[in-house]
Amino acid sequence: MKLNIHTISEQLQADFSGNTTAEIETVSIDSRSLQNGVSTLFFALVGPNNDAHSYINELIVNGVRNFVVAHIPENCVGKATFLVVQNTTVALQHLAQYYRSLFVFPVIGITGSNGKTIVKEWLNFLLSPEFTIIRSPKSYNSQVGVPLSILSINEQHNLGIFEAGISTVAEMVHLERIMKPTIGILTNIGSAHDEGFATIGEKIKEKLVLFKEAQIIIYHKNKTIDTFLNPNIKTFSWSCKDPNADVFIVKKTVLDKTLLTLKKGTTTFDLKIPFQDDASIENAIQCLMVLLHFGYDQDTIEHRMELLYPVEMRLKVKNGIHNSSLIDDSYSSDFQSLKIALDFLESQKQYPKKTVILSDIFQSGLSNEELYSKVSQLITSNKINRVIGIGATISEFKNKFINCSTFPDTDAFLAQIDHLHFGNETILIKGARTFQFEQIVATLAEKTHETVLEINLNAISHNFNFFKSKLKPTTKMMVMVKAFGYGNGGFEIAKLLEHHKADYLGVAFADEGMALKNAGIKLPIMVLNPETTSFLAIIQNQLEPEIYSLKGLHAFLKIAKQKNLKQFPIHIKLDTGMHRLGFEENTLTDLIAVLKGNTTVFIKSILSHMATSDAPEHQEFAAEQIQLFEKLSTKLMMELSIKPIRHILNTSGISNFPSAQYDMVRLGIGLYGVSNDYEEQKNLENVSTLKSIISQIRTISAGESVGYGRRFIATKPTKIATIPIGYADGISRHWGNGVGYVMIKNKKAAIVGSVCMDMLMVDCSEIECSEGDSVIIFGTTPTVSEIAKKLDTISYEILTSVSQRVKRVFYRE
């Protein structure tokens, strides 16, 4: 993208202030990105949870000079170029709409409930030999993602493939104006975002708005969709049931593949695809229809379709060898997704040293000279310490990178890997699929057993923002990352929360806080249950202790005085009815006497904890706690002449007692996707999925038993699968013997017999499955809440019970 700032201002009808000669090469909406610079146009978006105008002064300090704003912050007047508009999100969309109008080439627009990203990636693979393609990076399909995708077009592109996602009515009209697809693909219509539409018909009608000026629509023929199609737009339909479709398809399973027999008019031919599941078959057929529409010959279609591959849509964080951290993005290599991956690297780096392993980059639409100059700029702006290039082309441009070594191919790199000394660093592994970088990931990954807990960082971000949207703009957010992040992992979540500008982190004990500080977390960290023996370490690591007793206060003050501390932050805990920890009302006079005139410490916050914020039947008691907190905290503030942060609400309190937000709230289990309220639960996203595999399958006869104590005896021939996870991994023995189940191939398999220390067994008689197949222990089904209810416990216990020997894999969609 190359546009003059004055041209942009005219298109946005903005009030202009500043330098009219600036040339813009990139747009940005993320103030945290290290890629922002002098040629960046920053859009200060305003959302329910954040206002980017508050970061403008910091961006100016970091070198950004051009902004689209709704108002100019007072402290920034005259410091940069500003385009003042009424709504910055609408302005971003208008700029993308104008920019799209500058290019005339086919654009494939994809919408639907499921399969959009996979169809997009497969089409890119199938069509790239003939076209220079610009496509949505990752799943950039929103009201903001689509404009950012469009603004990445350059003069060399001759085909666009973009996806559009909506969650309610009246959204698609904006995306249609921006994208202007000439070819439309309607993928599977499922239940995603059903809550945003009154009926399935309303959802279909809204999706089809994207294609109102398209030349052709490709879709899976059915009567419901046919009802809403515009008769003036040409369609190209397919079906496995309706012979009236333009293309009629018969499916047949052949070994591990699916044979498709196509009939199009008088033409009939066969082809194979390397999938058997319904979703992959449907997505593959949508791609096949595009090849047919473009007039590809039969041999080319047969050859390319058989080469389709599973699409990995996640950026994964894994533990690596020699105390390293890996970011696995080993299935794609294009310029736009590299920018996203580098931002993700910065948000998740566990070690200051940063290495990028990068293959040749394809489909950039730029000359190699220009492309690798831009890649070099990205590497420099993201302060990457070492670059390892793999491929013939990137090797030619080795001199553009500082501290760079290159290899002609992946095999050559693997042959030298022991001499490259990986360790104590964060490593981004990003390569095109043809380079088979999964081999590099396997070599550098820490070796663990095949049971993993997958943590969805997108879901954590969503849940954080959901609860933040319930707060007043002035209310701070402390997020609890104690107990190893409720079993999900401490550092990685803390790093994400730091990226989202949480105000405080909360841990239970000093060692948890020390580990986060040592890993580079800079957010203030409050230690909620400090032992007196840990006070010295708390001071040395700049942690902030909760003080809940006179004994503890005296002990801390003694050490603080010895260290000659001045105004060290502490947090005073009041007991308002929980009767666990805290100063009670009758101890307040003594507390005030100790603290009055004391300059060694200062009270950063006053807090209490609610016992029944999630129990409607005890609302009166909760209200009494809040009233007592108001009384006692006010007394402390008046007697000590202080204005500390006050906080009493936990996750349930945020929703149930909004009037008691005070200055800060403490978000706990809600961040991890769990709520005690049924309606609220619908708005949260599942964070944790515990997965394993099938180790072995056997069939036992009637009368034979399974496991210790013969607690399960078969009454008929039964197929038993053994899963390598047990109570040492955190699976309760009470979940066994027919009480609980796991999911295999989206079907329930009951746990039979006793749960063993390292294994459990399930009845998979009604499931077509094989050894090595994936098994879901908990996630969306069963949920941790469902398991907790059956076991008469709470979700916290299920999550925190997952052993640390279970490998955590963090990913971003």
Side-chain angles (χ1 to χ4, degrees):
M1 172 185 173
K2 289 185 180 179
L3 289 175
N4 179 269
I5 190 74
H6 185 67
T7 301
I8 295 173
S9 179
E10 287 183 336
Q11 292 299 322
L12 300 184
Q13 299 181 343
D15 291 333
F16 190 92
S17 170
N19 176 18
T20 60
T21 63
E23 293 295 326
I24 301 301
E25 295 186 6
T26 61
V27 297
S28 174
I29 61 169
D30 187 353
S31 64
R32 300 158 298 194
S33 175
L34 297 179
Q35 297 158 28
N36 296 324
V38 293
S39 61
T40 298
L41 178 61
F42 184 84
F43 282 77
L45 302 188
V46 179
N49 312 308
N50 208 359
D51 184 349
H53 290 79
S54 60
Y55 309 126
I56 289 177
N57 193 55
E58 179 183 343
L59 284 162
I60 292 173
V61 171
N62 291 332
V64 181
R65 292 292 176 265
N66 304 285
F67 298 87
V68 177
V69 297
H71 62 87
I72 304 174
E74 288 184 12
N75 60 342
C76 298
V77 175
K79 293 183 179 179
T81 296
F82 293 99
L83 280 62
V84 183
V85 298
Q86 188 170 0
N87 184 302
T88 51
T89 301
V90 172
L92 176 65
Q93 294 174 339
H94 283 174
L95 177 60
Q97 183 177 337
Y98 162 72
Y99 191 68
R100 167 69 178 92
S101 71
L102 302 178
F103 299 91
V104 180
F105 54 70
V107 169
I108 300 173
I110 308 170
T111 192
S113 301
N114 310 106
K116 296 185 292 293
T117 303
I118 292 172
V119 170
K120 177 195 69 185
E121 293 300 319
W122 280 350
L123 284 176
N124 178 68
F125 166 74
L126 293 166
L127 300 173
S128 59
E130 289 74 41
F131 294 93
T132 301
I133 299 171
I134 176 69
R135 70 190 193 280
S136 311
K138 301 297 180 184
S139 54
Y140 271 37
N141 60 25
S142 66
Q143 300 291 311
V144 171
V146 170
L148 293 175
S149 300
I150 293 292
L151 290 166
S152 298
I153 299 173
N154 67 44
E155 289 73 12
Q156 302 305 313
H157 292 125
N158 55 17
L159 176 66
I161 309 175
F162 302 105
E163 54 178 298
I166 55 171
S167 56
T168 190
V169 296
E171 288 185 343
M172 191 63 88
V173 61
H174 306 297
L175 302 186
E176 189 278 332
R177 290 172 186 158
I178 299 165
M179 193 186 299
K180 290 295 179 189
T182 57
I183 300 167
I185 299 176
L186 184 65
T187 65
N188 178 275
I189 299 293
S191 59
H193 301 296
D194 269 358
E195 64 277 6
F197 304 93
T199 64
I200 186 68
E202 184 177 66
K203 177 189 282 191
I204 294 170
K205 187 177 180 180
E206 180 71 14
K207 299 276 186 184
L208 290 173
V209 169
L210 182 64
F211 309 137
K212 70 176 188 178
E213 294 186 17
Q215 297 168 8
I216 191 168
I217 300 174
I218 295 170
Y219 76 108
H220 185 183
K221 186 175 181 62
N222 74 58
K223 293 179 181 178
T224 305
I225 294 174
D226 288 346
T227 303
F228 295 97
L229 289 171
N230 183 341
N232 297 319
I233 298 177
K234 183 181 178 182
T235 60
F236 189 34
S237 64
W238 65 273
S239 178
C240 297
K241 296 179 179 179
D242 189 345
N244 294 316
D246 297 304
V247 178
F248 184 68
I249 299 172
V250 176
K251 301 181 292 183
K252 182 181 178 181
T253 300
V254 178
L255 298 177
D256 60 343
K257 299 182 179 181
T258 299
L259 177 69
L260 302 179
T261 300
L262 277 71
K263 183 178 181 182
K264 179 178 181 285
T266 58
T267 303
T268 301
F269 67 92
D270 295 338
L271 62 90
K272 292 179 182 176
I273 55 174
F275 307 102
Q276 292 184 337
D277 63 288
D278 291 340
S280 295
I281 293 170
E282 182 165 345
N283 293 332
I285 293 173
Q286 298 280 18
C287 297
L288 166 65
M289 295 291 287
V290 175
L291 296 181
L292 291 171
H293 170 67
F294 278 8
Y296 279 78
D297 63 82
Q298 181 178 328
D299 289 342
T300 301
I301 292 174
E302 289 178 9
H303 173 68
R304 293 189 188 174
M305 291 294 292
E306 195 165 6
L307 294 177
L308 290 179
Y309 52 90
V311 174
E312 179 57 72
M313 294 182 289
R314 301 169 172 180
L315 280 160
K316 293 182 179 179
V317 182
K318 303 175 179 178
N319 291 330
I321 59 173
H322 308 315
N323 203 35
S324 64
S325 176
L326 309 182
I327 297 177
D328 179 3
D329 193 13
S330 56
Y331 293 91
S332 68
S333 183
D334 60 87
F335 186 68
Q336 295 305 317
S337 66
L338 174 62
K339 295 168 71 173
I340 295 170
L342 287 169
D343 278 340
F344 183 65
L345 166 63
E346 186 60 28
S347 72
Q348 280 294 307
K349 70 175 189 293
Q350 189 164 350
Y351 304 96
K353 182 181 177 183
K354 297 180 286 187
T355 293
V356 172
I357 302 175
L358 183 66
S359 79
D360 287 347
I361 294 175
F362 303 123
Q363 293 293 313
S364 70
L366 305 171
S367 69
N368 286 334
E369 178 71 32
E370 186 177 2
L371 169 63
Y372 288 101
S373 294
K374 286 181 173 292
V375 173
S376 175
Q377 292 170 13
L378 285 182
I379 295 295
T380 301
S381 63
N382 279 271
K383 301 175 183 176
I384 302 301
N385 303 93
R386 175 169 61 156
V387 176
I388 297 172
I390 299 178
T393 307
I394 196 171
S395 296
E396 291 180 23
F397 295 92
K398 176 181 178 180
N399 62 344
K400 290 188 176 292
F401 304 95
I402 297 172
N403 193 20
C404 177
S405 54
T406 58
F407 300 88
D409 53 43
T410 302
D411 287 341
F413 166 77
L414 291 172
Q416 296 295 316
I417 197 167
D418 290 339
H419 304 290
L420 294 170
H421 307 298
F422 291 100
N424 299 301
E425 60 191 309
T426 303
I427 306 166
L428 170 62
I429 302 171
K430 182 160 185 61
R433 182 178 176 274
T434 53
F435 284 88
Q436 297 182 314
F437 270 20
E438 62 271 19
Q439 297 179 49
I440 298 176
V441 175
T443 303
L444 293 179
E446 182 181 70
K447 304 305 180 281
T448 55
H449 68 103
E450 292 165 303
T451 296
V452 299
L453 183 68
E454 291 188 344
I455 294 99
N456 185 338
L457 296 175
N458 295 80
I460 289 180
S461 297
H462 169 87
N463 297 338
F464 175 85
N465 287 324
F466 170 76
F467 283 101
K468 191 174 181 181
S469 71
K470 292 175 173 283
L471 305 181
K472 294 176 291 187
T474 56
T475 303
K476 298 179 184 296
M477 177 88 83
M478 174 186 285
V479 185
M480 310 309 296
V481 291
K482 61 182 181 177
F484 194 51
Y486 288 60
N488 292 283
F491 165 78
E492 292 84 359
I493 292 174
K495 189 67 180 173
L496 180 64
L497 294 169
E498 192 168 61
H499 190 66
H500 282 306
K501 300 186 184 294
D503 299 287
Y504 254 92
L505 299 179
V507 298
F509 300 106
D511 57 349
E512 296 175 313
M514 289 164 59
L516 294 177
K517 285 290 186 180
N518 290 336
I521 297 299
K522 296 180 175 60
L523 283 177
I525 299 173
M526 177 176 162
V527 182
L528 282 85
N529 305 324
E531 298 151 316
T532 55
T533 55
S534 69
F535 283 159
L536 184 58
I538 285 174
I539 292 169
Q540 290 172 338
N541 288 274
Q542 292 296 300
L543 303 173
E544 301 179 15
E546 173 189 287
I547 302 296
Y548 51 81
S549 69
L550 286 169
K551 178 183 177 183
L553 178 59
H554 285 302
F556 189 81
L557 289 176
K558 181 180 179 180
I559 297 174
K561 188 174 182 181
Q562 291 171 353
K563 294 293 181 182
N564 295 316
L565 298 182
K566 294 293 182 183
Q567 301 295 312
F568 193 93
I570 64 172
H571 303 262
I572 298 297
K573 175 74 168 286
L574 302 176
D575 182 2
T576 57
M578 184 76 168
H579 297 329
R580 188 171 63 178
L581 293 174
F583 291 94
E584 295 182 285
E585 186 171 10
N586 60 9
T587 62
L588 235 56
T589 301
D590 292 335
L591 173 63
I592 292 168
V594 174
L595 289 173
K596 209 159 199 175
N598 191 304
T599 59
T600 308
V601 298
F602 83 97
I603 300 176
K604 187 73 172 289
S605 83
I606 302 173
L607 67 147
S608 189
H609 193 65
M610 299 180 71
T612 62
S613 62
D614 60 344
E617 67 273 21
H618 293 299
Q619 279 204 0
E620 186 176 341
F621 180 81
E624 290 172 358
Q625 276 198 271
I626 294 169
Q627 291 170 8
L628 183 56
F629 178 68
E630 172 67 25
K631 175 185 174 182
L632 300 185
S633 60
T634 299
K635 181 177 181 179
L636 274 177
M637 292 165 64
M638 292 180 65
E639 292 283 346
L640 297 173
S641 300
I642 57 174
K643 289 186 177 180
I645 298 168
R646 290 193 288 176
H647 48 113
I648 189 173
L649 298 185
N650 55 5
T651 295
S652 297
I654 293 171
S655 300
N656 296 333
F657 298 92
S659 62
Q661 288 181 15
Y662 286 97
D663 306 296
M664 186 162 70
V665 297
R666 301 188 301 273
L667 177 61
I669 194 70
L671 180 75
Y672 306 97
V674 178
S675 173
N676 292 309
D677 181 85
Y678 176 76
E679 290 301 319
E680 184 173 81
Q681 184 65 58
K682 294 178 182 178
N683 293 304
L684 301 180
E685 293 185 359
N686 178 66
V687 168
S688 309
T689 302
L690 183 58
K691 286 184 174 181
S692 193
I693 63 164
I694 297 175
S695 294
Q696 190 174 34
I697 295 175
R698 61 172 49 79
T699 299
I700 63 173
S701 303
E704 292 190 293
S705 61
V706 173
Y708 289 116
R710 303 195 72 203
R711 296 181 68 198
F712 173 80
I713 298 177
T715 58
K716 59 183 179 180
T718 305
K719 188 166 68 171
I720 300 294
T722 300
I723 319 298
I725 183 171
Y727 58 77
D729 300 294
I731 307 302
S732 171
R733 292 185 75 250
H734 299 294
W735 189 234
N737 205 37
V739 175
Y741 66 92
V742 301
M743 296 295 291
I744 302 173
K745 300 283 189 178
N746 294 317
K747 295 181 179 180
K748 293 182 179 181
I751 300 173
V752 296
S754 298
V755 173
C756 307
M757 180 181 288
D758 308 301
M759 286 170 279
L760 58 81
M761 288 69 72
V762 301
D763 180 353
C764 59
S765 301
E766 304 302 318
I767 304 172
E768 289 292 330
C769 56
S770 305
E771 292 174 359
D773 283 349
S774 179
V775 178
I776 305 296
I777 313 301
F778 65 64
T780 53
T781 307
T783 64
V784 292
S785 298
E786 178 186 346
I787 296 173
K789 186 175 181 180
K790 279 196 174 184
L791 298 182
D792 194 25
T793 184
I794 56 176
S795 301
Y796 299 73
E797 183 175 351
I798 306 302
L799 282 173
T800 58
S801 293
V802 179
S803 167
Q804 291 196 35
R805 80 173 185 175
V806 173
K807 179 182 178 182
R808 269 69 175 175
V809 175
F810 299 85
Y811 69 90
R812 184 184 294 280
E813 297 284 1

